[in-house]
């Protein structure tokens, strides 16, 4: 699921997708700054995807 484009995730699965992705990142060996950046980017991507697709659901 995490290797697919975020646009393929169902709206109803977006929260669990975000939490799972964030968990993967936080458990990684990346620096804390990198973890924070990636977490921020995935939050923006998920919210943007929901807003862009609001008319389709």
């Amino acid at each position: 699921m995490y290797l697919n484009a975020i646009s393929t995730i169902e709206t109803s699965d977006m929260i669990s997708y975000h939490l799972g992705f964030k968990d993967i990142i936080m458990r990684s060996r990346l620096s804390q700054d990198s973890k924070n950046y990636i977490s921020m980017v995935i939050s923006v991507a998920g919210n943007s995807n929901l807003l862009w697709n609001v008319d389709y659901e």
Side-chain angles (χ1 to χ4, degrees):
M1 171 163 97
Y2 300 106
L3 300 177
N4 295 328
I6 199 166
S7 62
T8 64
I9 306 301
E10 296 291 328
T11 301
S12 59
D13 296 329
M14 191 57 65
I15 292 173
S16 63
Y17 172 85
H18 174 73
L19 293 174
F21 193 95
K22 187 174 180 179
D23 184 54
I24 291 168
I25 297 305
M26 292 305 159
R27 292 174 184 247
S28 74
R29 294 182 182 168
L30 295 169
S31 70
Q32 190 60 48
D33 284 345
S34 293
K35 291 176 182 182
N36 292 343
Y37 180 77
I38 293 169
S39 182
M40 183 238 357
V41 168
I42 198 63
S43 294
V44 170
N47 287 321
S48 295
N49 183 56
L50 291 174
L51 291 172
W52 293 330
N53 291 310
V54 77
D55 292 337
Y56 300 113
E57 298 195 18

